Amino acid sequence: MNASEFAVLPAGADFHARRGALSIEYRWIGVDDAHAPIAVFLHEGLGSIAMWKDWPQALCERLGLRGLVYSRPGYGRSTPRASTEKWPVDFMSSQARDVLPALLDALGVSDAERARMWLIGHSDGASIALLYAASFPRGLAGAVVIAPHVFVETISVESIAQTRRAYEATAQQTNPQTTLRAKLSRYHDDVDSAFYGWNDIWLDPAFRAWNIVETLSPITAPLLAVQARDDQYGTLAQIEAIGAAVPHAHVLTLDAGGHSPHRDARATLDDAIDTFMRSRIGAR
């Protein structure tokens, strides 16, 4: 991937109404063709540009796409979350409806380009992709959602609580450089901003009622929803709910791949995305 640049978003684009502008880390990747469709990659709840590693670039080259990767506010090199700031229950909706459109505006992505644009999201990023597709049904060519969340499951909460214990286990480790916190620090300027922003809201009892299934019916763009059977953060009920809410969606179950099939079942996932997208690129 090429070196990061930064886009500045106005305060009104922030999903929790922080006063002051936001600096958003982003990179353009993929093929060098101004006429190629754009694929926007939306990272997971602890992700960033760097945590994608080389997968977005390789996928864009395979499919002949321009790619846009960015770190959401609170992540990577983007403006961190204030230590006193807690994300609201609807933080993913605001990311889809406010922050992403504002970033596209700041980068000069036209309406015509957006109509040919694909979203490729993982985990929380997949949920944001679904919410964007529902909010702008005619402003998108299609979406691929990997390990999406559309409601809260007990398995998700239990795994996220376990992740918190691992993150806070630094004092018990003989080598602090091997802890989860140390590993995540390589990818985020303010690692506590990234971790607790995500972890606190997912473990908040109020978040147990979060459910976006009924908001998905406006989606008209082609949609591929992928879930692995051995995902420790969610079950097949997630993509089954998507299939019921969006009847034209293509629902794909992987026998293995965990929560990150783009890392742990890469060849299988890439082939599935290739088959799905090639028949639809340029069709809308």
Side-chain angles (χ1 to χ4, degrees), residues 18-40:
R18 178 193 290 133
R19 296 294 178 259
L22 289 171
S23 177
I24 302 296
E25 176 193 28
Y26 73 93
R27 290 179 193 166
W28 286 107
I29 60 171
V31 301
D32 185 14
D33 180 359
H35 301 290
I38 295 171
V40 179

Side-chain angles (χ1 to χ4, degrees), residues 48-71:
S48 67
I49 287 179
M51 286 188 70
W52 281 115
K53 300 190 183 296
D54 69 333
W55 183 68
Q57 175 69 30
L59 187 66
C60 285
E61 290 177 353
R62 176 171 177 168
L63 289 166
L65 302 171
R66 288 184 290 161
L68 173 63
V69 289
Y70 72 100
S71 298

Side-chain angles (χ1 to χ4, degrees), residues 17-174:
R18 178 193 290 133
R19 296 294 178 259
L22 289 171
S23 177
I24 302 296
E25 176 193 28
Y26 73 93
R27 290 179 193 166
W28 286 107
I29 60 171
V31 301
D32 185 14
D33 180 359
H35 301 290
I38 295 171
V40 179
F41 291 81
L42 301 167
H43 64 72
E44 63 174 307
L46 289 176
S48 67
I49 287 179
M51 286 188 70
W52 281 115
K53 300 190 183 296
D54 69 333
W55 183 68
Q57 175 69 30
L59 187 66
C60 285
E61 290 177 353
R62 176 171 177 168
L63 289 166
L65 302 171
R66 288 184 290 161
L68 173 63
V69 289
Y70 72 100
S71 298
R72 296 194 296 274
Y75 294 96
R77 314 303 174 211
S78 295
T79 300
R81 176 188 61 87
S83 61
T84 57
E85 180 179 16
K86 185 170 182 177
W87 293 355
V89 169
D90 66 346
F91 76 98
M92 286 185 269
S93 295
S94 296
Q95 285 289 335
R97 297 168 187 165
D98 301 323
V99 177
L100 178 52
L103 176 62
L104 297 173
D105 287 345
L107 298 181
V109 179
S110 68
D111 289 344
E113 289 175 308
R114 297 183 204 197
R116 300 176 62 224
M117 179 177 74
W118 283 78
L119 297 182
I120 301 175
H122 173 223
S123 192
D124 282 14
S127 305
I128 293 167
L130 289 168
L131 289 161
Y132 184 98
S135 298
F136 305 98
R138 302 191 63 82
L140 191 67
V144 176
V145 294
I146 305 161
H149 304 287
V150 293
F151 59 91
V152 180
E153 295 183 277
T154 299
I155 188 175
S156 306
V157 175
E158 290 176 347
S159 292
I160 290 169
Q162 183 177 354
T163 302
R164 187 184 187 107
R165 291 191 291 272
Y167 184 81
E168 295 178 339
T170 304
Q172 286 73 45
Q173 296 289 332
T174 56

